[in-house]
Amino acid sequence: MPRPMTQLTLSGEERERLEKEFRETGDVRTRTRLGALRMLCGGTHTLAQVAEAVGCARSTLQVWVAAYRRGGLEQAVLREKPGASSSPMQDAGLQQQLRENFAAGAFRTCEQMRRWLRATHGIVLHLKAGYYWLKSFGAKLRVPRPVHIKKDPQAPAAFVAGLEDTLAALPLRPGRPVRVWVEDEARFGLHTLVRRCWALPGVRVVLAHQRKYQWAYMFSALEIGTGRHVPLWMPGVDLGITTTFLEHLAASEPGAEHIILWDGAGFHPRPELHPLPAHIHLIRLPPYSPELNPVEKLWDIVKDGISNTIFPTLDLLYEHGLVPELEPFKNPNRVLQLLGNSSMIASVNASSIR
């Protein structure tokens, strides 16, 4: 047997007042209760139908109806618990303080924000509410890039600002084309590199991996103007091996002057201490500033491609891992896309040597 329809009987004046408050109220919760009462006035819906329409439980709707019958509209919309608008987190000044602290890096976890609110403003914020406010500020959970404690924060910007002058001061032979390279090297070995992978819901990913301590090094140089890529797979790193790579790079275009931007690794030769191949000019990047070198992005792409795979030997790692991953970078357009247009790349392209 179906449930009987529920009807509220309101006087003409009370009905007009209900309609007026329903139209004018700006509070969502109050409007929900008034909307439910409006539907019940028609006598064409059951309590269950009205409850489903306004998004509440049938028992909650019964409480609202009983409240109306006890004290009219005032009693029906009265809430014993304050709404969200009464939260101290709604204060615009407090929200601005939180945004400024986030911008300054004062909060790295939700718990740090909650402790600050409790200690500074006496606000006890539930963890779930903390996540809500983090999202409302536009905050995103990110993995920080490690930065060496000795890094000078002003050094990268100062290097880029003076790069055009540094390039102009190099003893380049007139009449020869100039190639500007960014160079780096990375170690690749037989120890399986584990990274995140896709899986269906409910499937636990299990990966076989090996611990084999054999490795070699991939040297890689990207030319900023033409998008050329010169890689070289070497058994290790030292001054002699690095010099061999510089000779290999110079031989890729013997008629050009080659300028190389790279870091200050101990196995990188220094012009004032070590002999260099002809037509090679070196510029050291600031210490602990890998973000200036676009080749770092290349290594991340390669490692992502060879991850979660077992290579029994270094030859197989090179032939079936590194070579396929580096193949797209034979295309100059792909290299130029990887290089991007950072301030350092823009300074090189704008310099008088080009």
Side-chain angles (χ1 to χ4, degrees), residues 261-283:
L261 304 172
W262 62 1
D263 58 36
F267 49 84
H268 285 176
R270 299 187 182 186
E272 66 274 16
L273 299 176
H274 309 102
L276 298 177
H279 312 299
I280 290 288
H281 309 272
L282 306 179
I283 297 177

Side-chain angles (χ1 to χ4, degrees), residues 60-78:
T60 300
L61 185 56
Q62 289 176 317
V63 172
W64 296 348
V65 172
Y68 172 78
R69 287 172 173 163
R70 287 197 310 270
L73 290 179
E74 291 82 359
Q75 191 68 29
V77 299
L78 179 65

Side-chain angles (χ1 to χ4, degrees), residues 175-187:
R176 293 169 62 92
V178 177
R179 305 298 178 220
V180 183
W181 305 80
V182 285
E183 190 278 345
D184 196 29
E185 52 284 320
R187 184 177 71 176

